[in-house]
Amino acid sequence: SMYRAPSLFGLTVALTLLLTEGKKHHSKQDPQIEAFLKEYGDGLPVWLRNNFTMHNLEYFLTPAFLEVIKGDGVVQRRPVVPGYQFKPITAHHRHHRHHGKRHQGHHKRHHHGHHHGAHHKHGQQVEGIDPSIIVQIGKIIWNIINNNTPTVDYSIDWTGAVPENATSWIDLENFKNWQSDLFSFKFKNGVGTTLTQFDWVWSCQYGGDYQGVGHYLTNCGATIKKIYAVLSEHVNVTGKGSAPFNYGTHDDPIGGLDLQVIMESNGKFKKTVVGCQITMMGNSTFDIVQCDQH
């Protein structure tokens, strides 16, 4: 179910207290206020226009809640965590999570850097390519949105997971297109106004094989669905790819890697950050590692 909106009575009381408090600091001569009103005055709610102080403006432009949708259509609403900093969770902190249920041979997945000694036949190794050793191609980091403007170039801003020495995804064939359902970050202020919003879907080409072997990834990243910023707010979004890995077995490799988006909501008073990190696999399954401020 969705969240219950705070009662109108509660909001009115909060606003009345806020406005009374704010009026003490009111100065019509404040050049900052004049400048802001001149540029953005038309977009302000009536209560703020009529009681315009820096104090009230700061309240209006400060993110209080974060609403997140994680590909399941469910809106999760939580208070913004003051001073939150996004840090990726690295693969070795995740233990086995639950890949074992989905893929056989998950006990081997921590040996992606090795050839497993002599007990494996390297029958599939062709021209120095071992399909079981996964490397990352494409970009490690790229800009998606800069100051509310899409700057991503989907033709070059992507990442992938392919066999070592496969110099490009051109060596691979049979890729299929995939997109997740909608993901969304929406920052709201204390009266429920949306300040900034970034909606996206994860997209990838998956299932590519090398001479009939393996399930690899290319053209992976986040595809923009919506950018929104109220008044003077700014949205910046960065994409990242990391941790290429064989999530399958030596003989039936499943290339995977981590994808991230980091959203900055930069306002006149506050800068707030949130990130989403998934592990994407070459068989078109993915796991959410983290996708909020908690």
Side-chain angles (χ1 to χ4, degrees):
S1 70
M2 305 273 282
Y3 57 86
R4 196 170 64 83
S7 74
L8 198 55
F9 173 74
L11 281 181
T12 314
V13 170
L15 275 180
T16 312
L17 291 171
L18 185 78
L19 298 176
T20 321
E21 176 60 27
K23 275 185 179 155
K24 294 175 195 160
H25 314 292
H26 191 51
S27 153
K28 277 232 156 45
Q29 281 68 53
D30 187 328
Q32 252 195 309
I33 286 185
E34 297 288 304
F36 191 91
L37 272 176
K38 193 170 171 186
E39 189 167 357
Y40 300 109
D42 294 348
L44 296 177
V46 176
W47 67 263
L48 185 54
R49 268 209 305 273
N50 293 345
N51 300 273
F52 196 85
T53 64
M54 284 320 253
H55 180 274
N56 288 347
L57 180 64
E58 181 168 0
Y59 175 77
F60 184 75
L61 291 180
T62 296
F65 297 98
L66 171 62
E67 290 182 2
V68 181
I69 300 172
K70 307 179 191 178
D72 55 6
V74 177
V75 179
Q76 294 180 317
R77 182 180 196 250
R78 295 229 177 114
V80 164
V81 178
Y84 174 82
Q85 300 202 317
F86 174 78
K87 292 185 183 69
I89 297 170
T90 55
H92 65 268
H93 287 142
R94 280 182 245 152
H95 313 299
H96 291 292
R97 291 213 324 265
H98 48 262
H99 294 297
K101 292 180 213 135
R102 200 179 294 154
H103 313 309
Q104 295 162 333
H106 75 297
H107 58 281
K108 293 182 188 149
R109 53 181 280 255
H110 288 288
H111 305 298
H112 62 293
H114 311 292
H115 286 268
H116 307 307
H119 61 279
H120 275 296
K121 290 200 274 302
H122 285 272
Q124 309 122 306
Q125 193 163 348
V126 187
E127 296 155 15
I129 289 180
D130 181 341
S132 71
I133 298 184
I134 309 295
V135 296
Q136 184 174 353
I137 55 164
K139 293 194 176 177
I140 291 168
I141 183 167
W142 60 95
N143 200 275
I144 298 176
I145 296 166
N146 189 19
N147 263 353
N148 306 332
T149 307
T151 50
V152 64
D153 178 345
Y154 296 117
S155 67
I156 55 170
D157 294 329
W158 51 266
T159 189
V162 301
E164 190 177 40
N165 298 333
T167 45
S168 81
W169 59 270
I170 294 163
D171 295 336
L172 307 170
E173 50 192 13
N174 301 317
F175 281 106
K176 296 173 273 297
N177 291 321
W178 171 86
Q179 280 198 336
S180 73
D181 288 325
L182 190 75
F183 279 67
S184 174
F185 287 142
K186 188 187 282 189
F187 285 103
K188 291 190 165 181
N189 67 11
V191 291
T193 308
T194 299
L195 299 178
T196 53
Q197 180 175 352
F198 171 52
D199 292 0
W200 76 99
V201 293
W202 302 104
S203 50
C204 248
Q205 289 182 292
Y206 76 97
D209 63 67
Y210 181 76
Q211 302 189 354
V213 177
H215 315 266
Y216 304 106
L217 294 170
T218 187
N219 279 330
C220 293
T223 299
I224 300 168
K225 289 295 173 185
K226 181 174 181 178
I227 307 165
Y228 174 78
V230 78
L231 302 174
S232 55
E233 303 298 285
H234 292 289
V235 173
N236 296 314
V237 179
T238 305
K240 288 186 180 180
S242 63
F245 208 90
N246 181 1
Y247 285 91
T249 63
H250 182 272
D251 295 330
D252 185 19
I254 297 172
L257 80 171
D258 280 12
L259 301 175
Q260 297 168 41
V261 293
I262 298 107
M263 175 193 184
E264 279 181 6
S265 177
N266 292 347
K268 191 170 171 59
F269 300 95
K270 290 274 190 300
K271 175 175 166 178
T272 316
V273 176
V274 64
C276 194
Q277 177 183 5
I278 67 167
T279 299
M280 181 69 210
M281 287 160 275
N283 60 359
S284 85
T285 60
F286 73 96
D287 281 335
I288 296 173
V289 179
Q290 56 175 336
C291 205
D292 52 31
Q293 289 186 330
H294 293 264

